Amino acid sequence: MGFQVSVEPGRHSFQAESDETILEAALRQGLSLPYGCRNGFCGSCRGKVLTGGVEHGAAPVEVLSNADRAAGFALFCCAMARSDLRIESREVRSFEDIPIRTLPARVQRLTRAAPDVMIVELKLAANERLQFLAGQYVDILLKDGRRRAFSLANAPHADTCLQLHIRHAPGGQFTTQVFETMKERDILRLRGPLGTFILREESPKPMLLIAGGTGFAPIKAIVEHAVAETNARPMHIYWGGRQRADLYLLQLAEQWPVEHAHIRFTPVLSDATTADRWNGRRGLVHEVAMADHPDLSEHQAYVCGSPAMVAAARQDFVARCRLPAEEFFADSFEFAADTLNAMVTSPHPASRADALSLPSGS
Ligand SMILES: Cc1cc2nc3c(=O)[nH]c(=O)nc-3n(C[C@H](O)[C@H](O)[C@H](O)COP(=O)(O)OP(=O)(O)OC[C@H]3O[C@@H](n4cnc5c(N)ncnc54)[C@H](O)[C@@H]3O)c2cc1C
């Protein structure tokens, strides 16, 4: 049986089933309420029930006392609706609302999605969840203090595991470890959530989403989040790679327009081989998008991938397709700062231009 829950002061509302927690219901429908552990221990999801009745479920009495309950407080990660509700809770609308944390995570599963792409699923400790917004990334903290950035590929409502799509950077310190020695149950340390590459939910404009190679990871998170919150803004997603194998989750992306009339998807290859038997679009992914959308003056663009691709898209969308500069959002897969420093101080540094040509995308 479903109940209507309206949230003050944001005035958003959602449906909650009687066998799910209020937080689960909110996240399932794309509404981000604050949370930490999702087990009743951290108290981050505490809020007030203004009208209506709840069952407090597994809320520990040490965290939510009987006096708290009598005063109308609840832990929304434990409480379940027993009638229509009006609740008081802050809504997490911006990355600034979310604390950045350092947490251990266990490697739950390693899936080789392409010869040089590993999908790594990470599980936090039993009483931990990481709150984040779709499109953000985490830093993996290496033992020597260096850090490596990877986008979260899952949407916040599907956070049982954190999913990373990791491309092997030849000679790279961390990504070589992922491909050669990492095993399931290994422990990593991560810090996050980080970054501002998130869906601007207040805008009604149609969206162009451009991914190069593993730049697909945050685009996937954003699309899955938008679908969950039934955001029906038109989305045209372009995913570019060199060869067919670079589009390592092609079937998943092809399914989006089948299930959602407001989504279009166009895969693009820049160097298809005969073995690819490619009948689709060819060229640089952002140029194919411009050919389809010569006028971007009423759009927003979300672009993620190699620094070269992001820079070209920024330049061309604004200069040639009249995209307002403030409607361009991007995450550029730069190397970590320590790598750049090493390259600059090396006696034979690779040129920056060489270094920026990713082995995928455009
Ligand atoms: C915000 C952000 C999000 C990111 N998200 C992702 C993601 O979701 N998936 C993903 O695969 N990558 C992502 N990256 C890029 C990723 O962080 C780097 O590829 C990674 O740091 C490489 O670490 P490493 O220790 O293996 O290489 P390093 O030891 O840092 O580098 C060693 C050598 O590897 C090469 N190299 C390093 N990085 C790259 C690169 N990106 N492309 C080509 N050659 C490289 C260079 O030759 C370098 O000299 C992201 C980067 C940023 C800034």
Side-chain angles (χ1 to χ4, degrees), residues 153-212:
N154 53 300
H157 65 273
D159 68 346
T160 321
C161 283
L162 300 174
Q163 191 181 101
L164 310 179
H165 297 175
I166 299 186
R167 178 174 298 280
H168 187 195
Q173 181 185 357
F174 175 68
T175 60
T176 299
Q177 177 193 332
V178 171
F179 278 75
E180 294 187 357
T181 57
M182 185 174 280
K183 346 181 259 321
E184 289 169 6
R185 305 195 68 76
D186 280 359
I187 301 292
L188 301 176
R189 276 197 328 134
L190 57 84
R191 184 167 179 276
L194 301 166
T196 61
F197 185 61
I198 56 170
L199 185 59
R200 271 50 185 185
E201 307 202 13
E202 65 292 348
S203 170
K205 291 185 174 182
M207 295 183 274
L208 201 59
L209 299 113
I210 314 280

Side-chain angles (χ1 to χ4, degrees), residues 148-151 165 167 169-170 172-175 214 333 335 339 358:
R148 298 291 183 260
F150 292 97
S151 304
H165 297 175
R167 178 174 298 280
Q173 181 185 357
F174 175 68
T175 60
T214 45
F333 283 3
F335 311 153
T339 310
L358 257 186

Side-chain angles (χ1 to χ4, degrees), residues 106-255:
R106 194 182 68 216
V107 176
Q108 180 80 359
R109 193 165 357 159
L110 292 166
T111 310
R112 191 77 163 245
D116 61 349
V117 178
M118 191 75 84
I119 297 183
V120 179
E121 285 167 272
L122 299 175
K123 190 131 176 70
L124 302 181
N127 59 352
E128 288 289 3
R129 292 292 171 103
L130 181 74
Q131 180 156 32
F132 63 96
L133 298 177
Q136 288 193 289
Y137 70 94
V138 292
D139 269 344
I140 302 290
L141 308 180
L142 309 188
K143 290 204 173 84
D144 61 7
R146 297 173 188 223
R147 52 190 63 193
R148 298 291 183 260
F150 292 97
S151 304
L152 294 163
N154 53 300
H157 65 273
D159 68 346
T160 321
C161 283
L162 300 174
Q163 191 181 101
L164 310 179
H165 297 175
I166 299 186
R167 178 174 298 280
H168 187 195
Q173 181 185 357
F174 175 68
T175 60
T176 299
Q177 177 193 332
V178 171
F179 278 75
E180 294 187 357
T181 57
M182 185 174 280
K183 346 181 259 321
E184 289 169 6
R185 305 195 68 76
D186 280 359
I187 301 292
L188 301 176
R189 276 197 328 134
L190 57 84
R191 184 167 179 276
L194 301 166
T196 61
F197 185 61
I198 56 170
L199 185 59
R200 271 50 185 185
E201 307 202 13
E202 65 292 348
S203 170
K205 291 185 174 182
M207 295 183 274
L208 201 59
L209 299 113
I210 314 280
T214 45
F216 181 69
I219 299 288
K220 170 179 175 292
I222 287 173
V223 172
E224 291 179 346
H225 170 69
V227 165
E229 63 166 6
T230 56
N231 182 332
R233 281 165 69 187
M235 285 185 241
H236 195 157
I237 302 145
Y238 290 82
W239 187 10
R242 282 193 173 175
Q243 276 107 38
R244 167 67 186 80
D246 294 327
L247 308 182
Y248 51 88
L249 286 178
L250 187 58
Q251 281 185 341
L252 172 90
E254 284 175 337
Q255 202 52 31

Side-chain angles (χ1 to χ4, degrees), residues 233-298:
R233 281 165 69 187
M235 285 185 241
H236 195 157
I237 302 145
Y238 290 82
W239 187 10
R242 282 193 173 175
Q243 276 107 38
R244 167 67 186 80
D246 294 327
L247 308 182
Y248 51 88
L249 286 178
L250 187 58
Q251 281 185 341
L252 172 90
E254 284 175 337
Q255 202 52 31
W256 289 331
V258 175
E259 291 170 4
H260 307 283
H262 61 289
I263 299 184
R264 292 169 68 195
F265 172 66
T266 304
V268 182
L269 294 186
S270 61
D271 295 292
T273 62
T274 326
D276 286 329
R277 299 209 183 108
W278 186 249
N279 295 320
R281 305 285 292 277
R282 291 169 185 258
L284 298 181
V285 62
H286 86 282
E287 290 186 353
V288 170
M290 288 198 300
D292 294 350
H293 298 274
D295 180 0
L296 292 174
S297 56
E298 298 299 327

